[in-house]
Amino acid sequence: MKKLIVAIAILTLIWACSNSEANNKGSEASSETAAANAPKEIDGEKIYRQNCVICHGLYGDMGASGAFNLTTSELTVEERIQVITNGRNAMTSFKALLNEEKIKAVAEYTLELKK
Ligand code: HEC
């Protein structure tokens, strides 16, 4: 009988330990998802890669479909925001695809392409 109690005690201990480990993991996982759900900083480079590379190329100088060379563009951020928002000639308008903040972020990123 004593052996049984000891065995139960050990089992309880093991269970308690593994359980607390599981709990720790649980809280880690939930803090990870919280971080993933937190509003991320808008990444202009990522937006550029997703929306602009097809015409402007990775470095802004590809010029597909007559796309202007962004590495030599003299436009200000405001003018870029205008072109990106409303489009111009063969350049598509992005106002339906990107919100104001994203357009601003990608416009700022295109300035970085300038050599
Ligand atoms: C369908 C191809 C295409 C896509 C996609 C595209 N562009 Fe353009 N872009 C053009 C063309 C063509 C022009 C030249 C417009 C003109 O002739 O007036 C241009 C012009 C520009 C200009 C003006 C440059 C200058 O010096 O006048 C900027 C800034 C620009 N694009 C940024 C972007 C950004 C940022 C994106 C992604 C959000 C993007 N473009 C996506 C084709 C494209």
Side-chain angles (χ1 to χ4, degrees):
M1 186 61 186
K2 208 175 170 189
K3 264 190 190 162
L4 186 68
I5 290 169
V6 170
I8 289 171
I10 290 169
L11 281 177
T12 312
L13 204 69
I14 292 169
W15 177 80
C17 286
S18 63
N19 203 32
S20 75
E21 219 173 78
N23 278 342
N24 281 343
K25 275 196 192 124
S27 65
E28 259 170 43
S30 68
S31 67
E32 265 168 35
T33 46
N37 289 336
K40 279 207 189 100
E41 218 176 287
I42 296 172
D43 185 349
E45 181 174 1
K46 198 171 153 203
I47 298 165
Y48 183 85
R49 281 167 193 253
Q50 286 169 346
N51 298 282
C52 323
V53 173
I54 21 164
C55 296
H56 290 282
L58 208 48
Y59 307 106
D61 57 358
M62 187 169 80
S65 346
F68 279 24
N69 188 337
L70 298 178
T71 66
T72 56
S73 171
E74 294 296 329
L75 296 189
T76 63
V77 178
E78 287 74 28
E79 289 166 329
R80 284 164 200 245
I81 290 172
Q82 272 303 311
V83 175
I84 299 161
T85 309
N86 302 313
R88 209 180 64 200
N89 300 322
M91 162 111 179
T92 32
S93 151
F94 280 89
K95 66 170 169 253
L97 289 165
L98 304 170
N99 65 25
E100 241 174 80
E101 276 179 309
K102 287 181 176 170
I103 288 176
K104 185 164 177 279
V106 77
E108 280 164 0
Y109 175 72
T110 61
L111 278 173
E112 285 176 33
L113 296 169
K114 232 169 126 168
K115 282 167 194 160

